Amino acid sequence: MRLRGKLLAALSAAVTLVLPMAAASPAAASAPTQSCNETHQARIFFWAVACVQAGQPVIGAFGTWRNVPITFTSGGSAGTSEASNYLRMVPNTEGGMFANSIDVGLYAEKTGATTRTYSPRWTELGNSGGKTKAITAGVNPTATDNTNHTYMTVRQASGAQWDVLYDFNWVGSTTDQLKVPRGNSNRIDIGLEVRGPQYVTVPVIASRVQFMAENKTWYRAATTDTAYVTTLGICGKSMGIPSDPTAVYTAPYCFKAKLTDGTKFTQWSASKPGPTTLATLLPAPVQSAGTFNGVDQEALSQCMANDPDSCLTSVPGLSACVQTAKVCNAAALQASPQTAPLAGSAPVSVDDIGVRAAASFGVAKDKLRVTTATTLPAPAGTAERALQSADAVVTVESSAPTRGLEQRGLTFNGFRATYSAATGQLLDACWGQMCRS
């Protein structure tokens, strides 16, 4: 109990370990240590994230990792825990921790005592709010089958907006990003974010990242242009308590994290031990053939299964397709929304959806309006028919002040979020003035 009390005291102080690299390479001023630290300092969220500043204007960011089986313990209410691994592009860092940005990644959330969701999505943070959209196309995007997936954002040919791609196919575009400045390099973050660490187990997620320079060539960042931050403590490391030098960070309140050594940023590996042990799954590659939008599909399917980090340079036609057609992966075109609860999950509760929305957006539950709808006909006076439909949705709205789904320390007026009634998955959301666009 004495050690647990010290651990919670250390957590409440949000111990932050920031490890800057050595002297910067000639192309960069320095690793983005200060901005990485400033951005990841919220008290209810914890991060194990690497931040890259390439030292030149970046017009594209690419990340890849596997769909690992993130799990949650039983017990605890809806909205008490979530975990995500994402790629964040900050086109203009002059705004510091409040800068506009684009996130795209994998998100898992505890939706009730025994239920959870698991899916990719992308988020835009703008001047006056934000928006989030689930990604439902692709090859089994909601399956915890350890398959590789890719996450990308590329600046459009004209203007200041960016396209978002998942598995090399377009899934959306931004509307409120700032122009890439000529004299100020932008920043890419990649890694793990957790809320409610006592409920979640995250196995090792090996994230790889590349950037596109203005010459439209993809590069790996230098480790000297990289900083990283872990805000939950490193497992087995000293807690720094003078009165008890033997006290160390232990599961479930710690991260394991490592940046692969070398001159180039090859891999950022992060995990969060928890109360459950997860088995390793062996995925079967999705086979495809022929040429689609100039891309060799057989080469792409093999590359996605074995080494997606190399696809942009090794798969014939892929790099050019990403910059032009933006629809490059024939096997991942089919929309495959999750229409049933994940294995082992209980039916989704509308009340739990309201609880989750209140926790996610920081709004009291009595300030919410919760409605259900379906595109299929329902017998008069029966809400059950709508909730049994695969395309039924639950919409949660509020005009109360909210932080939105972000941690910039800002407050916005109102939000709207739509969830699948069948699975509880967040389908889309907006907050602030971006609900008007």
Side-chain angles (χ1 to χ4, degrees), residues 108-264:
E109 183 180 2
K110 185 175 180 61
T111 61
T114 60
T115 58
R116 63 188 173 97
T117 61
Y118 181 99
S119 63
R121 70 188 192 208
W122 70 275
T123 299
E124 176 182 9
L125 304 184
N127 287 327
S128 54
K131 63 183 180 183
T132 289
K133 291 187 179 296
I135 299 172
T136 57
V139 179
N140 297 325
T142 63
T144 58
D145 56 4
N146 230 14
T147 53
N148 282 311
H149 292 278
T150 66
Y151 307 82
M152 185 185 303
T153 182
V154 179
R155 195 184 71 186
Q156 294 175 352
S158 61
Q161 301 313 307
W162 296 64
D163 291 314
V164 180
L165 296 90
Y166 175 75
D167 284 351
F168 301 113
N169 288 337
W170 179 91
V171 292
S173 299
T174 67
T175 58
D176 199 19
Q177 293 303 298
L178 304 178
K179 184 177 181 180
V180 174
R182 294 297 310 161
N184 180 50
S185 57
N186 31 30
R187 198 182 79 233
I188 302 171
D189 301 349
I190 194 167
L192 181 62
E193 176 183 304
V194 170
R195 180 168 63 88
Q198 67 270 36
Y199 296 107
V200 63
T201 299
V202 184
V204 175
I205 300 179
S207 300
R208 296 170 178 263
V209 66
Q210 296 179 50
F211 70 91
M212 182 194 290
E214 286 189 302
N215 63 2
K216 297 187 178 181
T217 301
W218 292 92
Y219 299 96
R220 298 183 192 275
T223 53
T224 50
D225 298 339
T226 305
Y228 61 90
V229 56
T230 57
T231 62
L232 195 59
I234 296 294
C235 299
K237 294 291 185 180
S238 172
M239 294 175 63
I241 302 174
S243 61
D244 189 359
T246 63
V248 298
Y249 291 101
T250 59
Y253 298 99
C254 64
F255 286 123
K256 293 182 179 179
K258 180 181 179 182
L259 181 70
T260 300
D261 296 331
T263 60
K264 297 295 183 182

Side-chain angles (χ1 to χ4, degrees), residues 331-356:
L333 285 177
Q334 179 64 42
S336 52
Q338 181 186 330
T339 58
L342 295 171
S345 290
V348 174
S349 160
V350 174
D351 186 65
D352 280 349
I353 289 177
V355 171
R356 285 170 54 204

Side-chain angles (χ1 to χ4, degrees), residues 38 67 69 79 81 89-91 139 144 149 159 161 207 280 283 325 339 399:
E38 285 180 351
N67 268 19
S81 184
M89 180 71 228
V90 185
V139 179
T144 58
H149 292 278
Q161 301 313 307
S207 300
T280 299
T339 58
S399 57

Side-chain angles (χ1 to χ4, degrees), residues 253-336:
Y253 298 99
C254 64
F255 286 123
K256 293 182 179 179
K258 180 181 179 182
L259 181 70
T260 300
D261 296 331
T263 60
K264 297 295 183 182
F265 180 167
T266 303
Q267 181 171 289
W268 171 247
S269 298
S271 64
K272 199 210 73 63
T276 58
T277 301
L278 303 172
T280 299
L281 302 175
L282 298 177
V286 176
Q287 300 296 330
S288 189
T291 300
F292 178 73
N293 281 345
V295 179
D296 184 325
Q297 295 298 296
E298 183 176 0
L300 178 59
S301 63
Q302 290 298 320
C303 186
M304 285 289 291
N306 301 305
D307 187 18
D309 196 44
S310 70
C311 293
L312 288 165
T313 55
S314 67
V315 176
L318 181 59
S319 183
C321 179
V322 164
Q323 299 169 44
T324 54
K326 297 182 176 65
V327 180
C328 312
N329 187 348
L333 285 177
Q334 179 64 42
S336 52

